[in-house]
Structures are given as structure tokens and as C-alpha cells.
């Protein structure tokens, strides 16, 4: 086991449900300095675990463990933190309660403050649903978070993104005839169709038109869809996926007692210096949505990733995109938080 567990105890979720013996799986990189001000929080995205974040961590990179103490908390529902697949009855599998982005960030705050005694965070960064969590950190703890850098992720799930996630859910539900009483019959093999649905959204039209899957070692479109999309989704637990889909569909940094649904006010309340980095061809979390959000954040820079890799411009696969993200993070971290 290459990660640690932070026991949360019995937690009351936003839904009002109490999840007993909840826990957060996390991994750290580097060392916390004496001032405890070299902290970077890097939450995981939908379907990812901490190891999928490691492409952005390394010596000489913006997220350099020789300079920063990097904490990667795993999203609830991802199979490592409390999830349908690892929670005992009565909250196992289909009975796992609904967990929000707000819940996740509150638990991460407890990890950061209770486990490590940290009061200032230099940067919260994340891809996709990790990006939503970075926005949430900025809105929930504006005096604690100095910088945020969401890439290919919005501050809420906009309607079109909700529909995409709903299509993924429908592909899974169709295997049990949309009968919610049969959810516990789902197996990982049923995830095959979900991968096929997402294949059209994860990457852009130009990516497919230019056959860039060949760069990844696939000779044909069918080999790529099977080898990447089917294969990766069939490795996931379907109940974990349903839990994370719900978290994603109802993500909104203002859906909490602090902002009571006032999305614009939540954005205006973020004090952190922000680099908002959408993929220019992202069909899933669009640059237009991020542009709206960036205009309302007082210290935000709208900094699109010029890429044909769609949502996966932020996935750590394409070298050019990786260099752009890393260089942007270096620039952001070099920005004094006293600058306006």
C-alpha cells in the first residue's frame, strides 16, 4: 500500500446522512517545512487515484517534492477513500450515500489541519473533478488558499456537462433495464458501454480526425477505443462509478450554507490568485464556461491550453500540453500573493 489513511470517524454529509467510520486515503510527496507554508494540495479526478496525478510531480517541475509538500487526497468513491466497494453494510455498494464536492473538501480540510497543522496552502491544483475541488477550496477557505489552478475543470457542472455524465450513467443503468432494484447485479464488465460513451467526449474531433491515437501506439480507431476506453472503464467498480457520477453531476461551489446557491458570489469570494486553464478543444468542460468563471474571480488569469487533445489535454499524456501546464504552474507559484 503506497498511501496513508486518515480516519474521519462518523461524518455527517451534506445530505444529512451519517457515514460511519469514514476515511480519506492520501499520499504525500516531499517534506513539510518548519513554517508549514510550502503546501500544495492536488485532489484526484473522477475515476482517478493518486498515482494518476504523479505525472505532474517531480524534480525540476513546478510540483517539485524537493521544494513543496504535496498532498494528494483521493476522492470519496474512488475505491481508496470511503467508497461503495470498501464500505461495510448498510452503506456498501448501491447503498453508499451521496457525497458532494463540498463534503470532499471539508474532509480534506480536516486532513490538512488536524493531521499536519497546516494553516496556509500555497496552491490547490487539479484536473477535471480535481479542478472543481480546487475552486471549492478557494471558495470555502478564501483566507487559507493563496493560489488555485484548475485545469480542464469548472467551478460547477454546467448543464451540458451534466447531460454528458447522465449519458454515462444511462449506459450503465441500461444493463439492468433501468431497474434500480437490480443495481447490485452490476459488474465491472458492464462498464464497457460507459467507456464507449465517454470516448466521444474525452477527446476532440480534431484528435480523431488526425488519428492521433497512433501516437499512443494504436493502429486503428477500434483498437484505441477498446484498448483505452473499454479497458480503463472495465477496471472500475460500477458502484464506485455511480457514486462519483453523482458527485460530478451535482458539483457546484455555491451549493452549501456559505453561498446558498449564489454561484457568482462564490466566485467573487475567491481571494486566491487563479490560473484557469481549460483545454481549448474540450467538449466536456468547455473554455467558454471557464471564461465566465474567470471573469468573476478577482485575481484570475484565463490561460487556455491550446490543444486538440480535448479534455485529455490535462491528463498527462501529451508532452506539449504537459509542458504548458507545468510552465503555467511555475509562473503562478512565482507570483507573490501580495500582488493584485
Amino acid at each position: 500500500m503506497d498511501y496513508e489513511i486518515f480516519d474521519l470517524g462518523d461524518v455527517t454529509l451534506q445530505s444529512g446522512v451519517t457515514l460511519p467510520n469514514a476515511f480519506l486515503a492520501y499520499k504525500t510527496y516531499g517534506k513539510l517545512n518548519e513554517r508549514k507554508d510550502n503546501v500544495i494540495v492536488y485532489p484526484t479526478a473522477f475515476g482517478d487515484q493518486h498515482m494518476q496525478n504523479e505525472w505532474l510531480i517531480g524534480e525540476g517541475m513546478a510540483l517539485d517534492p524537493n521544494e513543496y509538500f504535496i498532498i494528494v487526497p483521493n476522492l470519496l468513491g474512488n475505491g481508496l477513500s470511503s467508497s461503495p466497494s470498501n464500505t461495510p453494510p448498510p452503506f456498501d455498494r448501491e447503498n453508499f450515500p451521496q457525497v458532494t464536492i463540498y463534503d470532499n473538501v471539508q474532509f480534506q480540510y480536516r486532513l490538512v489541519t488536524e493531521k499536519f497543522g497546516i494553516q496556509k496552502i500555497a496552491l490547490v491544483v487539479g484536473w477535471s473533478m480535481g479542478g472543481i475541488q480546487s475552486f471549492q477550496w478557494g471558495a470555502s477557505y478564501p483566507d487559507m488558499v493563496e493560489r488555485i489552478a484548475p485545469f480542464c475543470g469548472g467551478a460547477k457542472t454546467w448543464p451540458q456537462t451534466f447531460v454528458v455524465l447522465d449519458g454515462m450513467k444511462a449506459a450503465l443503468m441500461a444493463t439492468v433495464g433501468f431497474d434500480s432494484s437490480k443495481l447490485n447485479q452490476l459488474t465491472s464488465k458492464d462498464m464497457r458501454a460507459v467507456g464507449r460513451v465517454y470516448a466521444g467526449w474525452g477527446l476532440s474531433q480534431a484528435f480523431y480526425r488526425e488519428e492521433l491515437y497512433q501516437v499512443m501506439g494504436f493502429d486503428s480507431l477500434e483498437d484505441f477505443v477498446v484498448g483505452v476506453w473499454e479497458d480503463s472503464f472495465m477496471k472500475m467498480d460500477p458502484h464506485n462509478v455511480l457514486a462519483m457520477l453523482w458527485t460530478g453531476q451535482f458539483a457546484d461551489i455555491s451549493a452549501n450554507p456559505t453561498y446558498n446557491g449564489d454561484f457568482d458570489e462564490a466566485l467573487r469570494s475567491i481571494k486566491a490568485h487563479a490560473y484557469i486553464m481549460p483545454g481549448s478543444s474540450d467538449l466536456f468542460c468547455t473554455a467558454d464556461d471557464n471564461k465566465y468563471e474567470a471573469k468573476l474571480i478577482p485575481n484570475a488569469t484565463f490561460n487556455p491550453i491550446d490543444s486538440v487533445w480535448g479534455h485529455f489535454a490535462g491528463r498527462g499524456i501529451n508532452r506539449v500540453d504537459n509542458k504548458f501546464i507545468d510552465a503555467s504552474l511555475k509562473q503562478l507559484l512565482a507570483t507573490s500573493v501580495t500582488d493584485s
Side-chain angles (χ1 to χ4, degrees):
M1 192 171 80
D2 71 335
Y3 58 91
E4 297 177 75
I5 294 293
F6 178 67
D7 290 319
L8 295 162
D10 297 349
V11 295
T12 300
L13 303 169
Q14 263 197 292
S15 64
V17 174
T18 298
L19 179 63
N21 302 312
F23 56 90
L24 198 59
Y26 69 97
K27 186 171 181 179
T28 63
Y29 308 77
K31 292 183 179 179
L32 185 62
N33 64 17
E34 288 187 12
R35 296 185 305 276
K36 298 187 177 183
D37 63 356
N38 66 332
V39 178
I40 294 175
V41 178
Y42 183 14
T44 62
F46 169 89
D48 280 354
Q49 298 177 345
H50 58 272
M51 61 282 283
Q52 273 86 42
N53 282 14
E54 291 178 341
W55 67 270
L56 194 52
I57 301 170
E59 187 173 353
M61 301 181 72
L63 274 60
D64 189 337
N66 294 320
E67 186 173 355
Y68 292 102
F69 181 61
I70 303 152
I71 306 170
V72 180
N74 284 270
L75 186 75
L76 267 71
N78 82 343
L80 296 184
S81 293
S82 287
S83 304
S85 63
N86 61 22
T87 299
F91 292 113
D92 60 324
R93 304 177 74 188
E94 67 166 320
N95 299 312
F96 193 74
Q98 296 166 341
V99 181
T100 63
I101 291 292
Y102 181 75
D103 289 328
N104 273 279
V105 170
Q106 281 200 308
F107 301 152
Q108 293 166 21
Y109 174 82
R110 285 187 52 192
L111 166 68
V112 166
T113 56
E114 294 175 19
K115 174 69 176 179
F116 298 108
I118 293 164
Q119 297 300 323
K120 281 287 181 184
I121 296 175
L123 170 68
V124 184
V125 58
W127 172 62
S128 194
M129 273 174 67
I132 297 176
Q133 291 169 78
S134 69
F135 277 112
Q136 186 72 69
W137 264 102
S140 291
Y141 305 103
D143 293 321
M144 182 180 190
V145 178
E146 296 177 331
R147 302 169 189 85
I148 62 169
F151 52 98
C152 303
K156 71 174 181 179
T157 298
W158 292 79
Q160 186 262 357
T161 308
F162 181 96
V163 171
V164 173
L165 294 172
D166 214 42
M168 296 167 65
K169 178 182 176 181
L172 191 53
M173 294 297 295
T175 64
V176 290
F178 292 92
D179 186 345
S180 58
S181 70
K182 296 180 179 179
L183 284 177
N184 278 342
Q185 296 177 17
L186 291 170
T187 70
S188 292
K189 290 182 179 179
D190 297 319
M191 290 297 299
R192 181 178 182 179
V194 183
R196 288 261 174 180
V197 169
Y198 192 61
W201 292 104
L203 295 154
S204 74
Q205 297 99 329
F207 174 92
Y208 284 111
R209 184 170 60 246
E210 297 171 20
E211 300 180 348
L212 292 180
Y213 46 80
Q214 294 182 359
V215 175
M216 299 173 67
F218 295 94
D219 295 330
S220 71
L221 177 60
E222 179 64 14
D223 287 345
F224 173 65
V225 172
V226 172
V228 171
W229 299 109
E230 287 189 7
D231 183 65
S232 60
F233 274 84
M234 288 172 69
K235 290 176 180 175
M236 300 182 196
D237 180 282
H239 300 98
N240 290 349
V241 168
L242 285 172
M244 290 185 287
L245 282 172
W246 190 94
T247 300
Q249 282 190 283
F250 295 95
D252 182 338
I253 65 166
S254 68
N256 52 67
T258 304
Y259 298 107
N260 295 307
D262 191 335
F263 183 62
D264 289 2
E265 179 60 24
L267 290 168
R268 284 192 290 263
S269 298
I270 295 173
K271 297 180 181 179
H273 284 258
Y275 269 29
I276 313 299
M277 292 184 280
S280 62
S281 62
D282 195 335
L283 305 172
F284 183 58
C285 295
T286 72
D288 281 347
D289 293 338
N290 269 170
K291 192 172 186 179
Y292 176 90
E293 295 160 349
K295 284 181 179 178
L296 291 174
I297 298 173
N299 295 309
T301 298
F302 183 66
N303 192 36
I305 308 164
D306 186 11
S307 172
V308 300
W309 283 68
H311 194 55
F312 271 40
R315 191 62 176 79
I317 299 172
N318 181 36
R319 181 178 58 84
V320 175
D321 298 338
N322 296 353
K323 286 181 67 176
F324 178 88
I325 294 167
D326 183 59
S328 297
L329 293 177
K330 285 179 178 175
Q331 195 171 35
L332 177 60
L333 283 164
T335 302
S336 169
V337 293
T338 59
D339 293 345
S340 60

